[in-house]
Amino acid sequence: MTEHAPASPARHRRSPFAGAGICACTGFRLHPGHSGPVFDTDVWDFTGVVGLPVQMPRSEQIFNFTAITDPRWRLVAKELVFALLVPRHEAVALLPGAYRTPLALRTCHHRLEELTRWFGFLTTRGLTSLGEVDDGICQAYLADRSHRRDNTGRVTGALNGPSRRAAAVQLVRDLAGYQELFADGIPAGLRPWGNVSASRASGRKQSGENATPPLAPEVLQPMLAAVLYLTETIGPPLAELTRQYRQSAARRPRLPQPRRAPARELAA
């Protein structure tokens, strides 16, 4: 199990989520022997949660808030992520700008990554409180997220896709929607980019049609036939051979177990 980092010293009012067990509040089930993260710690380890998506890497199962150096802003980040995970909490449910359904764990990890960039950007601009944020700062952050940078921070080019810009816009929108929850929140009434959606504010083109042309039948039909043959004819016996191989390898604990089944032998 991953050890939790100790929480930062409190220099702020007590959070309404203090002492809360994250998994107990979200309803996440845990594997035996695992204990879920607690709000007050600065590292939330979700690796023991049952049923996480297989495409979710371990690095995204651990929420590390320590990269946000200011304790007040670290608390803001934890409160926002908790509120996104537990929208029915009594401190969240009455907020008019809050989401009404919980966001996925992976989505919340992406929010934390964006929060870390946001607070790092504010630090480079010399801001010490979210109350100093205005439309100009928000526009500058969007412009900053519109460029690709190297390890030294030097701009190396523009970002082609609008997804990162949309994530930046949505993060600021979230801080505005939950500002009543934070001891250090952005000014009330601040609505960056007006009522424009995050997608449009990021420059993403709106289209009512699928931009990808459909495949011609002479291409699609052979592909579907091949897929059906793989899944219905080749797949079942191959899965059984793989199971037999793994059982055989497990009976030989003294031998190094290959990471993958031998493709050549299975093909034969």
Side-chain angles (χ1 to χ4, degrees):
M1 293 179 60
T2 303
E3 295 182 359
H4 296 304
S8 303
R11 297 189 304 176
H12 38 65
R13 62 94 173 89
R14 179 177 173 83
S15 172
F17 312 131
I22 311 297
C23 293
C25 294
T26 58
F28 292 156
R29 294 186 299 112
L30 294 166
H31 291 288
H34 288 264
S35 58
V38 178
F39 176 84
D40 305 87
T41 58
D42 288 341
V43 176
W44 296 356
D45 186 348
F46 292 100
T47 56
V49 172
V50 175
L52 293 178
V54 294
Q55 69 272 23
M56 186 176 183
R58 181 182 176 86
S59 60
E60 294 184 356
Q61 299 171 21
I62 299 176
F63 289 34
N64 190 342
F65 295 88
T66 59
I68 304 173
T69 56
D70 189 310
R72 296 172 306 153
W73 288 350
R74 191 179 303 174
L75 177 64
V76 169
K78 292 198 288 186
E79 288 180 331
L80 177 59
V81 173
F82 184 95
L84 296 176
L85 287 170
V86 194
R88 295 187 179 182
H89 189 281
E90 59 183 7
V92 181
L94 298 180
L95 298 178
Y99 295 100
R100 300 308 172 198
T101 56
L103 299 189
L105 197 61
R106 194 174 194 184
T107 302
C108 289
H109 188 274
H110 294 165
R111 286 290 204 282
L112 173 57
E113 292 177 330
E114 198 64 41
L115 278 163
T116 304
R117 297 187 190 97
W118 162 258
F119 287 125
F121 173 80
L122 296 185
T123 299
T124 62
R125 288 294 178 118
L127 274 68
T128 59
S129 171
L130 287 178
E132 302 173 51
V133 173
D134 56 19
D135 283 315
I137 291 294
C138 297
Q139 294 291 353
Y141 181 62
L142 178 58
D144 183 78
R145 290 290 284 135
S146 300
H147 295 87
R148 186 181 296 105
R149 299 175 183 274
D150 59 18
N151 293 334
T152 65
R154 183 175 59 88
V155 174
T156 59
L159 293 175
N160 296 325
S163 58
R164 293 187 182 182
R165 297 193 296 272
V169 173
Q170 190 59 60
L171 185 276
V172 178
R173 288 280 178 79
D174 289 346
L175 290 171
Y178 290 82
Q179 60 89 16
E180 300 174 40
L181 184 65
F182 314 129
D184 181 28
I186 67 176
L190 179 64
R191 181 68 177 175
W193 304 286
N195 293 322
V196 176
S197 68
S199 295
R200 294 191 62 182
S202 66
R204 179 177 295 170
K205 295 181 179 180
Q206 303 296 313
S207 175
E209 298 182 0
N210 190 344
T212 303
L215 286 175
E218 57 269 22
V219 176
L220 180 61
Q221 293 300 330
M223 289 177 60
L224 293 177
V227 169
L228 288 174
Y229 183 75
L230 287 172
T231 56
E232 296 180 356
T233 304
I234 296 181
L238 182 59
E240 175 60 22
L241 286 173
T242 302
R243 185 189 65 81
Q244 293 176 12
Y245 166 76
R246 289 174 176 171
Q247 286 184 342
S248 176
R251 299 191 189 101
R252 295 173 293 171
R254 295 181 181 180
L255 298 178
Q257 185 173 352
R259 297 182 61 185
R260 295 182 179 179
R264 291 182 179 179
E265 287 82 348
L266 288 177

